[in-house]
Amino acid sequence: MTTPTKENLTALLEPFDQTHVLQFWDELGADQRAQLASQIEGFDLEQLNKLYNSQDAQSHWGELAAKSSVPPAITLADFADEASFEAAYKTGAQQISAGKVAMIIVAGGQGSRLGFDHPKGMYPIGPISSNSLFQIFIEKVIARAKQFGSTIPLYVMTSPPTHEETIEYLTKENYFGMSPDDVMIFCQGVMPAVDGDGKLLLEEKGKIFVSPDGHGGALLALEKSGALADMKKRGVEHSFYGQIDNPLVQVCDPALLGYHTQSGSEMTSQVVRKNDPFQKVGNVVTSDGKVQIIEYSDLPEENARETNDDGSLRLWAGSIAVHIFKTDFFDRMSQTDGSLPFHRAHKKVAFVDAQGSINKPEQNNAVKFEKFIFDLLPSAKNAIICEVDPADGFNAVKNAPPADAETPDHVRAAISDLHSRWLTECGINVSDGTLVEISPLFAPDSKVLKEKIDADKNFPSKITADTYLQ
């Protein structure tokens, strides 16, 4: 295939005042020219121009928050109600048994903030086993499928920086026991960034800077990769969605799936009850009959502080990026133009300046454009939220020490605390200070663990040393 000429590319760039990206063309080798040309031809420069010239949507957040309420919610009280829980559990179990459930893992992030120069999914997080995030998630999928004698196909979304290494890693590890036929790894798209004047930035003399298009990129990537078609071919009706950095995700939880199914929901979001008015989570609300998220940074202080008569927060539902989607909803939204808007993020981006030198700014100098999957909520029919205790389902590894939360040590402790509590609920005494880890292949949840312990007359009644049950 012949590389377009400088004149061809100039004709594409000139209407949008972006010809500066060709300033080093004469210095480039054939491969560099081909790479740059491919980028230029692949960009939707008209869309980029519109995104830059349009201002961020100036919603009246205070007005919206004032008239908002919490959406229809399944709270912890419902999960604790035995009749309600058992009915939901049975419904969800039937969906899994019938092969109607898939798992989507969003795994495009890198571990750079953790000092780990690999895809974050490869990060060792098991408190005793040192198993990676990928291994923990995949074993949860395997265990859940085995529990109900079914298959749960797995769809892993990567990003360009993590795609090849993720494939190499999972192939080398034999997908941790999952059949390769039931795993699809697909890559999200990218978007170029622009500087304060709307100009594209060069990462190298022959390469324009791009970054992943946000977790909302999953919608288009599922469709373009063939993953959505694969779901439909398999008869998958519901996709359980989670992000790789949270090993406490209750993968394909039957009760959660059951409440989702019983409600006729096209999109169900798992939430935590906020412990602070200013907790850095999206606020899930309903207004004018539509469920949506008000970002913590957009929620006015007076609305964040509002309480009910009992003193609890009025807007209490914090999003943790765990969702269940109906396949038909994904299909409809993937065919709907503008179903997910772009958000602007101001970031620091290193770039090649006019003199050909790398410039590393100390202040934000670029605008990135990203989509967020939660923006599908307003379009979903019968959208509901389901509360989870964060100790049971949410502790993401995001920060390196000495941060005061979400470090690897915090997350490992959360895993051990959860598994210790499961054992205690089963009548097993766990000594204080003892680390406990339970492989998903041993028991994916406390219900299965209790059945296993009750059937094993030789299971110890007390655990006094660090223990990994596998």
Side-chain angles (χ1 to χ4, degrees), residues 103-129:
M103 181 70 200
I104 299 171
I105 300 175
V106 177
Q110 295 174 288
S112 51
R113 282 172 61 185
L114 301 170
F116 183 73
D117 192 23
H118 300 283
K120 189 181 281 189
M122 294 170 59
Y123 192 83
I125 201 64
I128 297 174
S129 68

Side-chain angles (χ1 to χ4, degrees), residues 172 217 220 258:
K172 178 184 176 185
L220 180 59

Side-chain angles (χ1 to χ4, degrees), residues 131-168:
N131 288 346
S132 68
L133 287 159
F134 271 132
Q135 181 168 352
I136 290 171
F137 266 92
I138 291 174
E139 288 185 350
K140 285 186 178 187
V141 174
I142 293 170
R144 193 66 78 190
K146 183 178 179 182
Q147 181 184 357
F148 296 106
S150 184
T151 297
I152 298 176
L154 173 64
Y155 303 89
V156 180
M157 186 174 83
T158 63
S159 64
T162 66
H163 186 68
E164 294 301 328
E165 190 171 4
T166 296
I167 292 174
E168 291 172 8

Side-chain angles (χ1 to χ4, degrees), residues 78-99:
D78 297 290
F79 282 93
D81 179 84
E82 189 172 338
S84 170
F85 174 85
E86 287 301 329
Y89 192 96
K90 182 178 180 181
T91 299
Q94 290 170 342
Q95 297 296 311
I96 299 172
S97 295

Side-chain angles (χ1 to χ4, degrees), residues 104-358:
I104 299 171
I105 300 175
V106 177
Q110 295 174 288
S112 51
R113 282 172 61 185
L114 301 170
F116 183 73
D117 192 23
H118 300 283
K120 189 181 281 189
M122 294 170 59
Y123 192 83
I125 201 64
I128 297 174
S129 68
S130 292
N131 288 346
S132 68
L133 287 159
F134 271 132
Q135 181 168 352
I136 290 171
F137 266 92
I138 291 174
E139 288 185 350
K140 285 186 178 187
V141 174
I142 293 170
R144 193 66 78 190
K146 183 178 179 182
Q147 181 184 357
F148 296 106
S150 184
T151 297
I152 298 176
L154 173 64
Y155 303 89
V156 180
M157 186 174 83
T158 63
S159 64
T162 66
H163 186 68
E164 294 301 328
E165 190 171 4
T166 296
I167 292 174
E168 291 172 8
Y169 173 71
L170 294 181
T171 301
K172 178 184 176 185
E173 298 293 345
N174 296 313
Y175 300 92
F176 296 104
M178 196 165 181
S179 169
D181 293 337
D182 295 325
V183 181
M184 181 178 286
I185 303 171
F186 63 100
C187 189
Q188 70 184 107
V190 295
M191 280 291 289
V194 296
D195 66 14
D197 296 320
K199 298 294 184 69
L200 292 165
L201 295 161
L202 286 173
E203 180 180 357
E204 301 170 6
K205 289 183 178 181
K207 184 179 182 182
I208 297 169
F209 175 86
V210 296
S211 59
D213 57 0
H215 50 72
L219 182 64
L220 180 59
L222 282 166
E223 198 274 329
K224 288 183 68 174
S225 68
L228 190 56
D230 187 68
M231 288 180 188
K232 291 189 284 186
K233 181 180 177 182
R234 290 172 177 267
V236 169
E237 296 183 7
H238 312 281
S239 291
F240 200 104
Y241 168 109
Q243 295 187 344
I244 193 67
D245 60 2
N246 177 18
L248 266 61
V249 170
Q250 298 170 321
V251 168
C252 299
D253 179 71
L256 186 59
L257 282 161
Y259 284 119
H260 162 82
T261 305
Q262 291 172 351
S263 301
S265 171
E266 288 190 319
M267 179 175 175
T268 295
S269 291
Q270 199 173 45
V271 299
V272 294
R273 192 168 293 268
K274 290 166 56 181
N275 56 25
D276 182 289
F278 310 110
Q279 189 172 346
K280 293 183 178 182
V281 289
N283 297 270
V284 189
V285 303
T286 185
S287 181
D288 299 327
K290 293 185 179 295
V291 180
Q292 58 186 300
I293 286 183
I294 302 176
E295 272 296 291
Y296 65 88
S297 55
D298 293 322
L299 185 63
E301 181 177 342
E302 60 270 26
N303 300 112
R305 291 187 181 278
E306 287 179 333
T307 58
N308 299 311
D309 291 340
D310 63 1
S312 61
L313 291 174
R314 187 174 70 83
L315 302 180
W316 59 263
S319 175
I320 60 170
V322 175
H323 311 285
I324 304 174
F325 299 94
K326 286 202 72 173
T327 305
D328 289 347
F329 178 55
F330 263 153
D331 196 25
R332 187 173 81 245
M333 289 296 97
S334 69
Q335 306 302 321
T336 303
D337 289 339
S339 57
L340 285 175
F342 278 100
H343 295 258
R344 300 157 73 106
H346 298 272
K347 302 286 186 179
K348 287 186 288 188
V349 171
F351 64 97
V352 176
D353 61 24
Q355 289 71 47
S357 300
I358 297 290

